[in-house]
Amino acid sequence: MADLDDPNSGGTDSFDEFVRTRSPALLRSAYLLTTDRHAAEDLLQDVLERLYARWRRARGAPDAYARRILVNRAIDRWRWRGRRREAALADLEVPAAGDHAEEVVVRQFVLAALRTLPPRQRAAVVLRYLDDLSEAETAQVMRCSVGAVKSHTARGLAKLRNAVPDSFSLSPQTIRSTR
């Protein structure tokens, strides 16, 4: 591994190792934040580019730094998209196929329900229940208080429960199964 304190070293070995080990988890989070595979890949690429540019600063806690960039960039994209409202194919409701496994149906409903949440609520639910971060860790990533995380999470879960059909219950365990 390259020494990050060496001014002649860019620390690319440690960055490469971080990318190899953490990209799958970050991509999963990006997917859950965007609910679109291509948008998630673009978001992750943007996050990794920004992280690389700040790698020396982020070396103490690169995972938290990457998640903070991920959430901030996802929220920025939602805001931009809200100003420029186009009908995207991903926004169209696709009826669930009846002969697929129940997991696929649950995943479709959860992802569709996640799309309806405001950005901060979606980020809180994803970080808390899908990335298994504590309230304190989520607050740190979202740069808000623990109380705000609790509020965003509670409101987000309530909206998710209202968005899914009565035929199955929505619990944190059900949400986690969409990973």
Side-chain angles (χ1 to χ4, degrees), residues 96-105:
D99 53 11
H100 285 285
E102 184 177 337
E103 293 173 10
V104 174
V105 173

Side-chain angles (χ1 to χ4, degrees), residues 30-44:
Y31 176 70
L32 293 167
L33 288 168
T34 62
T35 67
D36 177 78
R37 177 69 181 196
H38 299 294
E41 290 170 352
D42 290 345
L43 179 59
L44 178 59

Side-chain angles (χ1 to χ4, degrees), residues 81 85-92:
R81 202 170 137 204
R85 199 64 202 148
E86 289 181 8
L89 291 177
D91 291 341
L92 299 176

Side-chain angles (χ1 to χ4, degrees), residues 19-119:
V19 171
R20 271 192 299 280
T21 58
R22 297 303 302 149
S23 284
L26 291 170
L27 180 60
R28 183 188 74 230
S29 296
Y31 176 70
L32 293 167
L33 288 168
T34 62
T35 67
D36 177 78
R37 177 69 181 196
H38 299 294
E41 290 170 352
D42 290 345
L43 179 59
L44 178 59
Q45 184 66 35
D46 186 27
V47 167
L48 293 175
E49 288 173 9
R50 289 171 182 270
L51 181 63
Y52 182 76
R54 296 166 181 86
W55 185 244
R56 287 186 188 278
R57 252 183 284 160
R59 69 180 172 196
D63 197 50
Y65 206 91
R67 286 187 193 285
R68 179 173 291 151
I69 296 170
L70 184 74
V71 168
N72 288 341
R73 294 301 297 156
I75 290 172
D76 288 347
R77 287 175 181 218
W78 293 325
R79 287 178 183 151
W80 180 82
R81 202 170 137 204
R83 286 191 301 249
R84 189 176 152 248
R85 199 64 202 148
E86 289 181 8
L89 291 177
D91 291 341
L92 299 176
E93 288 190 35
V94 178
D99 53 11
H100 285 285
E102 184 177 337
E103 293 173 10
V104 174
V105 173
V106 169
R107 181 179 298 229
Q108 283 183 328
F109 280 119
V110 170
L111 291 175
L114 279 172
R115 284 185 196 109
T116 67
L117 296 180

